[in-house]
Amino acid sequence: MYDENNIFAKILRKEIPCDKVYEDEFSLFFKDINPQAKIHILGIPKFPCTSFSDFLKNADNESISFFFKSVQIVINQLNIEESGYRLITNSGEDGGQEVPHFHIHILAGEKIGALR
Ligand code: 5GP
């Protein structure tokens, strides 16, 4: 079940500030508070969903399509398509997810190391 009090829900309600890099009707992108690379952006849909699977199962096609297209808008905005980037989404306990609102990490700006 979706927890309305998770930190990203609070950011969406503007109860907690964030360093925003892009926003539209369907999504919000902001800098990670504890960056793991020179560029570390988090992208979240405005739709309340706990994980990638929850988002795909429950959001309408327009929201899903616009969210993933907005990831590319941010990639263009950051000018990282050519140099490269890594997209990550952690899901559940084994995936190491800390915040239970679906989010995509965009890591870039330097060579991103091996996952393990
Ligand atoms: P997860 O482990 O759930 O995939 O990633 C959660 C991410 O959210 C972490 O990288 C963490 O640094 C980031 N984070 C946690 N709390 C906040 C916050 O209040 N503001 C921002 N901008 N990032 C946060």
Side-chain angles (χ1 to χ4, degrees):
M1 210 172 73
Y2 185 74
D3 171 13
E4 294 286 349
N5 283 319
N6 77 73
I7 205 115
F8 294 167
K10 289 181 179 173
I11 286 176
L12 283 174
R13 291 197 297 269
K14 300 191 186 344
E15 291 167 14
I16 290 177
C18 72
D19 199 345
K20 181 167 77 176
V21 298
Y22 176 80
E23 182 172 18
D24 63 24
E25 190 185 338
F26 298 96
S27 62
L28 175 67
F29 290 75
F30 51 94
K31 292 183 183 172
D32 195 293
I33 207 167
N34 181 23
Q36 302 300 307
K38 281 187 185 151
I39 296 174
H40 187 170
I41 305 297
L42 298 170
I44 60 177
K46 291 186 174 177
F47 184 82
C49 52
T50 57
S51 65
F52 171 77
S53 303
D54 185 22
F55 182 51
L56 271 282
K57 271 186 233 161
N58 294 307
D60 58 80
N61 285 342
E62 195 188 24
S63 303
I64 293 168
S65 166
F66 271 79
F67 175 70
F68 286 104
K69 282 176 195 273
S70 68
V71 175
Q72 181 60 37
I73 290 172
V74 172
I75 286 166
N76 293 343
Q77 192 177 299
L78 297 168
N79 198 23
I80 54 172
E81 182 165 337
E82 205 179 314
S83 50
Y85 55 86
R86 182 173 296 165
L87 300 180
I88 297 176
T89 184
N90 300 320
S91 180
E93 210 178 316
D94 284 358
Q97 183 178 9
E98 284 169 22
V99 181
H101 180 113
F102 167 53
H103 51 280
I104 279 189
H105 298 255
I106 304 174
L107 296 158
E110 61 184 308
K111 233 181 225 325
I112 309 300
L115 288 178
R116 286 168 188 263

